[in-house]
Amino acid sequence: MAHPSSMPARNFTLICAAALALFGARPAAANDSTAELGAGGLQLVRTDAIALLAEDLFISTEEVRVTYRFRNQTEAPVTYLVAFPLPAIDAVVPEAMNVAMPSADANFVGFTVSVDGETIVPSVEERVTAVGVDRTEELRRLGLPLNPIAEGLYQSLQTLPADITAELNRLGLVYVDPYNVEAAWRLETTFYWEQTFPPGQTIVVEHRYKPVVGYGFFGDYVLSDAGYKEKYCIDSGFDRAARRKLSGVGGTDFPYLNEKRLSYILTTANNWSGPIGDFRLTVDKGSPDALVSFCGTDVTKVSPTRFEMRATDFVPEAELNILIATPQPLQ
């Protein structure tokens, strides 16, 4: 999806009342809101041998699924290591910790992959860093989970011997104050497998996972935030619809809209040979009454909740960011 400053982006706005999670905490300002963690396309070292004939991408807050058609353009089989990096979990960045994480397992998004209809089991690499240094083995030796938001980790950190806590603090792995010991590391997880591309043949690779969704509070201050407007291509139609909804909740105990954000990394497709021959993006906003905004061109409505973008010889120039805002569900 091209960046709005470099193409005539067409924003599309939908109006919806989907039931989102209730927020018990006091609403925060826009720059304090939580951040989405962006996963995205398959990665490969740059190659001129393999063409990406088609990519069919479906995105919702419940599921992301992608179907690729690849073709080996040479007269000999080639084998590459194909990788799918999950969004990094960085305990140093508070915004990255306040997301709706599908699970705290190594495969915390439930990533699955198949090739020509046959399910494969990819290898997984987990790497922990603190202040830029690999500290994976230090945590493993202590029997601590590598995921900084793993269930029970906080309690485990409070019970560590003082000398071990001091050493972890020295390495930049934990924060220590008079009351708490908290994780301060970054986890990067990548799934990978060796893929052989037969000469002159097309193979179909499919993968799916549950996205990591960012949550926040949407108020009228968002509509005057230049960064938000550019990132999500917020136009006058979205602005008017959002203000109407905000007016409807004005004076209540919750004078905001609930906000969900999704991010998908598109530019990894540029590692393959040439542009994406046939690109289709489908975004499902979950309910006919939601407000949705993102950057796209020639977007058409294909159902009450789904919108579609099609492009030929598509070259992604930026990542895809999706904004959904709805009123709080009625009690």
Side-chain angles (χ1 to χ4, degrees):
M1 194 74 63
H3 192 276
S5 63
S6 62
M7 58 165 272
R10 176 185 170 188
N11 159 272
F12 51 92
T13 301
L14 318 163
I15 301 182
C16 163
L20 301 184
L22 299 178
F23 294 85
R26 183 176 180 84
N31 58 1
D32 291 329
S33 62
T34 58
E36 72 281 1
L37 301 181
L42 301 179
Q43 290 196 21
L44 180 70
V45 293
R46 186 73 177 94
T47 176
D48 291 324
I50 310 300
L52 179 48
L53 301 181
E55 177 177 353
D56 189 348
L57 170 61
F58 171 88
I59 298 181
S60 72
T61 58
E62 297 300 318
E63 182 182 48
V64 175
R65 59 178 184 265
V66 194
T67 300
Y68 302 93
R69 288 195 297 117
F70 296 107
R71 185 174 181 83
N72 181 353
Q73 303 178 113
T74 72
E75 298 180 354
V78 293
T79 300
Y80 289 106
L81 192 68
V82 179
F84 180 81
L86 296 185
I89 304 175
D90 192 347
V92 177
V93 182
E95 291 85 356
M97 298 289 285
N98 297 320
V99 294
M101 194 68 64
S103 80
D105 299 331
N107 185 3
F108 59 85
V109 297
F111 176 76
T112 62
V113 62
S114 67
V115 179
D116 288 336
E118 181 178 347
T119 299
I120 65 172
V121 180
S123 300
V124 60
E125 178 191 63
E126 294 180 281
R127 181 172 180 263
V128 166
T129 58
V131 292
V133 179
D134 192 321
R135 299 297 184 185
T136 311
E137 292 309 313
E138 280 84 350
L139 293 187
R140 284 184 170 146
R141 281 197 296 270
L142 292 171
L144 292 172
L146 302 185
N147 192 327
I149 64 167
E151 184 176 355
L153 172 62
Y154 176 81
Q155 290 77 8
S156 296
L157 291 177
Q158 313 315 305
T159 61
L160 289 175
D163 59 334
I164 292 178
T165 298
E167 177 63 8
L168 293 178
N169 180 245
R170 185 186 69 82
L171 297 175
L173 284 163
V174 297
Y175 295 115
V176 179
D177 63 34
Y179 307 101
N180 299 286
V181 181
E182 297 185 9
W185 64 81
R186 175 184 175 92
L187 172 66
E188 296 175 315
T189 305
T190 300
F191 292 96
Y192 63 95
W193 65 96
E194 281 197 344
Q195 182 65 55
T196 298
F197 299 84
Q201 294 186 32
T202 299
I203 67 169
V204 177
V205 177
E206 299 175 276
H207 71 72
R208 61 181 59 202
Y209 64 90
K210 186 173 179 62
V212 180
V213 180
Y215 288 82
F217 302 105
F218 187 101
D220 54 9
Y221 47 79
V222 173
L223 299 172
S224 59
D225 186 315
Y228 251 64
K229 294 177 72 173
E230 180 181 20
K231 182 175 183 178
Y232 298 106
C233 285
I234 293 175
D235 66 3
S236 58
F238 183 95
D239 185 289
R240 289 192 297 270
R243 292 185 188 279
R244 284 197 299 270
K245 287 193 176 293
L246 287 168
S247 177
V249 297
T252 68
D253 291 337
F254 190 87
Y256 300 89
L257 305 181
N258 287 328
E259 176 180 298
K260 288 186 177 182
R261 298 179 306 280
L262 293 162
S263 180
Y264 188 88
I265 299 170
L266 286 171
T267 55
T268 52
N270 295 328
N271 286 329
W272 306 91
S273 176
I276 304 171
D278 179 16
F279 176 75
R280 179 170 73 168
L281 166 67
T282 303
V283 174
D284 191 322
K285 59 191 178 61
S287 168
D289 298 324
L291 285 172
V292 176
S293 188
F294 63 88
C295 302
T297 56
D298 299 325
V299 177
T300 58
K301 185 175 183 180
V302 295
S303 85
T305 64
R306 295 186 179 184
F307 283 71
E308 182 180 284
M309 170 186 161
R310 299 294 296 263
T312 301
D313 294 333
F314 179 60
V315 179
E317 297 178 5
E319 317 310 350
L320 175 64
N321 298 293
I322 301 169
L323 172 67
I324 302 173
T326 77
Q328 180 171 308
L330 296 176
Q331 301 299 304

